[in-house]
């Protein structure tokens, strides 16, 4: 069995691919990381029919891209390649690809869909019966090589990511008239009222109220058109967290673009570096005492930002999920805050920065647990368990 990965399409996903390829190579497997825009012919010598596995992220290479199609079928289908497709976003973003598995993959039976949230996994199983093998696996943490001793830290709080103001999404809310706008805003209000409920749960409740006889196919298609709702809520919660910290007087290190659009009560403009390569983000995270995470709607899963902070020997301060509560203890390996009460975030941050003994203890425990259980080597073991 040998493995193929992609790079150069999306930098972060290429980074994940390289880390996973390294973990599998260390176990003696042949791995090949292919530049997405290179001549696909260079892949052919790497493919052994019935023995090769493509591990990709977010449907890269299995979305009908012409580079990887021949005579109307993908090269993976023609050569009997097993596909492991890891979705790092909600499956609603990949409706067309999930609906067309048989066209882009070798077969449904030899395609593995991997979700980083258990609700995402349930969603795929419920709405895409063509997906036979569906798994749950949170991404690994990265950055242990950048971990620093406490005396070398130079930032109190860091946030790595991007920001888009909610005003950007207003055009999508208003585009179909007043009645639809009210419908969309009702979903948004419900999601903000209780962020612990998954986006699909809230959307389905509202859709079924309007269309009680909608078929599963109609439901999955409709939800796939609500991406702007998911993003609106994601960025609003991100803004509220940053504003709460700014109001409390914290100087936040921001790595990413768009933060100048955050509406602070003080009128102060937040700004960050352009989001640089993943390795740079990890290196900067290692210089921070606390890494802020605002979960992008993953109510029963985890985000790699949390585990990577731990790897970097930085305390992860995050809102909770079912999976996180099952696997970590508050004020032992990480610290939780209430996403519905942003002011609690500022209080928790102040407590941690004023109690260096607690800060150090939680950071070290998180670092140890991440190294023990949440490396790319451990994720390679999970993947091999599905394939062998």
């Amino acid at each position: 069995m040998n493995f193929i990965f992609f790079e150069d399409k999306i930098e972060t996903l290429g980074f994940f691919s390289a880390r996973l390829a390294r973990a599998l190579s260390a176990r003696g497997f042949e791995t090949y990381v292919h530049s997405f825009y290179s001549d696909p012919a260079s892949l052919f010598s790497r493919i052994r029919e019935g023995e090769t596995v493509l591990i990709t992220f977010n449907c890269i290479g299995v979305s009908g891209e012409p580079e990887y199609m021949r005579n109307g079928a993908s090269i993976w289908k023609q050569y009997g390649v097993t596909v492991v497709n890891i979705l790092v976003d909600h499956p609603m973003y990949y409706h067309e690809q999930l609906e067309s598995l048989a066209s882009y993959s070798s077969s449904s039976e030899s395609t593995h869909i991997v979700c980083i949230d258990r609700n995402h996994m349930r969603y795929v199983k419920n709405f895409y019966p063509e997906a036979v093998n569906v798994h749950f696996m949170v991404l690994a943490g990265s950055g242990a090589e950048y971990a620093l001793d406490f005396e070398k830290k130079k930032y109190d709080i860091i946030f790595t990511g991007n920001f888009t103001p909610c005003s950007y999404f207003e055009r999508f809310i208003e585009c179909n008239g007043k009645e639809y706008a009210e419908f969309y805003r009702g979903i948004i209000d419900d999601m903000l009222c209780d962020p612990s409920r998954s986006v699909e749960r809230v959307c389905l409740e509202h859709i079924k109220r309007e269309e009680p006889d909608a078929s599963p196919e109609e439901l999955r298609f409709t939800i796939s058109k609500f991406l702007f709702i998911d993003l609106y809520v994601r960025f609003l919660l991100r803004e509220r967290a940053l504003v709460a910290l700014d109001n409390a007087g914290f100087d936040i290190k921001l790595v990413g673009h768009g933060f100048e659009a955050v509406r602070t009560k003080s009128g102060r403009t937040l700004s960050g570096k352009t989001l640089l390569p993943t390795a740079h983000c990890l290196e900067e995270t290692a210089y921070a005492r606390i890494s802020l995470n605002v979960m992008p709607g993953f109510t029963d899963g985890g985000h790699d930002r949390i585990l990577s902070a731990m790897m970097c020997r930085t305390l992860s301060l995050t809102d909770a999920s079912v999976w996180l509560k099952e696997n970590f203890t508050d004020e032992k390996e990480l610290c939780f805050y209430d996403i519905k009460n942003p002011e609690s975030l500022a209080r928790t941050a102040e407590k941690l920065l004023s109690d260096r003994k607690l800060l150090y203890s939680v950071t070290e425990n998180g670092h140890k647990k991440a190294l023990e259980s949440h490396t790319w080597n451990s994720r390679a073991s999970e993947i091999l368990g599905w394939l062998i």
Side-chain angles (χ1 to χ4, degrees), residues 85-97:
N85 185 11
I86 303 171
L87 305 181
V88 306
D89 299 299
H90 195 287
M92 65 195 286
Y93 287 78
Y94 306 103
H95 166 67
E96 291 183 4
Q97 294 92 330

Side-chain angles (χ1 to χ4, degrees), residues 122-133:
R122 297 179 190 111
Y123 181 85
V124 173
K125 287 184 175 181
N126 287 339
F127 288 104
Y128 298 92
E130 44 274 79
V132 177
N133 300 304

Side-chain angles (χ1 to χ4, degrees), residues 72-85:
S74 74
I75 60 174
W76 322 114
K77 186 180 182 69
Q78 294 179 37
Y79 288 92
V81 174
T82 295
V83 174
V84 176
N85 185 11

Side-chain angles (χ1 to χ4, degrees), residues 168-221:
Y168 173 83
F169 302 103
E170 290 293 334
R171 55 180 169 170
F172 301 106
I173 294 174
E174 301 289 346
C175 68
N176 292 317
K178 183 178 178 180
E179 186 175 347
Y180 275 96
E182 291 178 353
F183 175 71
Y184 299 145
R185 292 190 192 282
I187 298 174
I188 290 169
D189 289 344
D190 274 4
M191 290 177 64
L192 291 171
C193 182
D194 185 2
S196 68
R197 302 169 73 213
S198 66
V199 58
E200 71 272 11
R201 178 179 172 185
V202 179
C203 287
L204 285 169
E205 287 177 359
H206 282 256
I207 296 169
K208 288 180 177 179
R209 197 176 301 152
E210 298 295 324
E211 298 290 342
D213 297 324
S215 67
E217 291 76 18
E218 291 169 328
L219 290 171
R220 72 185 190 183
F221 174 79

Side-chain angles (χ1 to χ4, degrees), residues 363-377:
T363 302
E364 288 300 299
N365 287 338
H367 183 62
K368 180 181 179 181
K369 184 155 188 176
L371 288 173
E372 288 176 349
S373 305
H374 300 290
T375 64
W376 284 109
N377 186 52

